[in-house]
Amino acid sequence: MLEFAWPWLFLLLPLPILVWWLLPPFRARQASVQVPFFERLAAATGQTPQRGAVVLERRALQMIVAVAIWILLVIALARPQWVGDPVTREVSARDLILAIDISGSMDQRDFKTPDGTTLTRLDGVKRVIKDFIARRKGDRVALILFGTRAYVQVPFTQDLQTAQQLLDQTAVGMAGQQTAIGDTIGLAIKTFATSTAKQKLLILLTDGNDTASRVPPEHAADIAHQNDVAVYTIGVGDPAASGENRVDLGVLQSVASTTGGHFFRAEDGAQLQAIYADIDQLAPAKLDTLSWRPKLPLFQWPLGAAVVLGLLLWLTLLLGSEWHRMKIVSHA
């Protein structure tokens, strides 16, 4: 349907009439011939001298075209536009961070894929996470990698292809050989600080226990809970291992329960894939409904018509003047 963005500009339509009524007419002085005996000449002819004035003749065509041009200009100023039918779209209101452990123990080749292939833990995790990222349509995804230190590999983005490519380039030991779970949670909280999403979800995947954090994981979990960040923890290491390769399941369970998340245990690709499916069910994305109506501007049509009318009027008056001059010349 046709609408005007600024319909109040139609109040300008009577402006020329007000100018016509309220402002004095334009007067221009012109050179004239002085007659010394003007008074005797006037008395001889029986006429009374008056102030000289010449009113230029206005043709009806000029007035009609001027009115049409003014109306078209006001219509263009009011910004006519064609407004289409409402378009509704649902978008995710969730920001999601994947925190992946790339410490030295992730290089162990004991991760079994659903097809029976044995891969390193990191390669197996990459394969499953790649499918999980591909299903995040509408979510903003960030990627944190951690070992001895934690850093943001991919800030929040909806460019899932780029996130997958940067994940593929990840290698074991890039962030050190130890594991800093508490610092990773702290970095995730800091990353969420600028987020305005209604749902903030951190998925933390590790195969070791916390050995390098400056902030204890439990304390970091309390801060995450205060900032409405839910942490879902996934342990992928061997719980029977000892030392730095041991998975501290108790800490992971505590972090998840403190923040309102869940703890999962994964030993192979099939379990990890099922875990991500469970996360989709436990933490479904919150959706915001956006509605708008497409608008096609049309102001250029009345504006163009006003310009064309002005050019045609100018050309008509020019041709008429030339024809009148030639007619006078021919009679002379």
Side-chain angles (χ1 to χ4, degrees), residues 104-126:
S105 57
M106 290 292 286
D107 201 28
Q108 295 190 30
R109 188 175 292 273
D110 60 0
F111 191 92
K112 294 182 179 180
T113 62
D115 58 6
T117 306
T118 302
L119 303 173
T120 64
R121 293 175 181 176
L122 182 58
D123 288 339
V125 168
K126 283 182 182 180

Side-chain angles (χ1 to χ4, degrees), residues 40-180:
R40 286 182 291 168
L41 182 61
T45 57
Q47 298 183 14
T48 303
Q50 296 179 353
R51 295 176 62 86
V54 177
V55 179
L56 298 177
E57 179 184 359
R58 292 184 178 87
R59 301 178 184 179
L61 177 62
Q62 289 179 267
M63 299 301 296
I64 294 174
V65 173
V67 171
I69 289 176
W70 176 250
I71 293 175
L72 289 171
L73 288 177
V74 173
I75 291 175
L77 288 174
R79 293 189 65 85
Q81 54 192 6
W82 184 262
V83 181
D85 295 331
V87 177
T88 302
R89 179 186 175 190
E90 288 188 340
V91 297
S92 176
R94 175 170 68 180
D95 283 346
L96 184 147
I97 294 179
L98 288 169
I100 310 300
D101 186 353
I102 57 171
S103 60
S105 57
M106 290 292 286
D107 201 28
Q108 295 190 30
R109 188 175 292 273
D110 60 0
F111 191 92
K112 294 182 179 180
T113 62
D115 58 6
T117 306
T118 302
L119 303 173
T120 64
R121 293 175 181 176
L122 182 58
D123 288 339
V125 168
K126 283 182 182 180
R127 178 178 296 189
V128 178
I129 290 181
K130 188 174 182 179
D131 295 334
F132 179 73
I133 292 177
R135 297 198 303 269
R136 301 303 98 205
K137 301 299 182 182
D139 286 345
R140 290 204 314 163
V141 177
L143 178 63
I144 291 180
L145 304 178
F146 68 96
T148 306
R149 295 287 183 269
Y151 65 93
V152 178
Q153 175 76 344
V154 181
F156 282 121
T157 180
Q158 289 184 320
D159 186 354
L160 303 181
Q161 185 176 359
T162 298
Q164 291 176 359
Q165 291 176 350
L166 292 175
L167 176 62
D168 291 338
Q169 297 172 7
T170 301
V172 172
M174 289 175 57
Q177 298 297 318
Q178 295 179 303
T179 306

Side-chain angles (χ1 to χ4, degrees), residues 239-313:
S242 59
E244 294 183 357
N245 294 331
R246 179 178 61 87
V247 181
D248 194 340
L249 301 183
V251 169
L252 297 181
Q253 291 172 345
S254 174
V255 168
S257 61
T258 299
T259 62
H262 290 268
F263 165 75
F264 300 95
R265 180 84 184 95
E267 297 181 359
D268 53 37
Q271 289 183 353
L272 186 57
Q273 196 164 8
I275 287 170
Y276 285 129
D278 290 341
I279 291 176
D280 283 336
Q281 294 179 357
L282 292 171
K286 294 182 179 180
L287 300 177
D288 280 342
T289 300
L290 302 180
S291 179
W292 73 93
R293 301 179 68 180
K295 297 178 180 180
L296 178 65
L298 302 175
F299 71 92
Q300 64 272 18
W301 294 105
L303 182 60
V307 172
V308 170
L309 279 178
L311 292 175
L312 289 177
L313 176 62

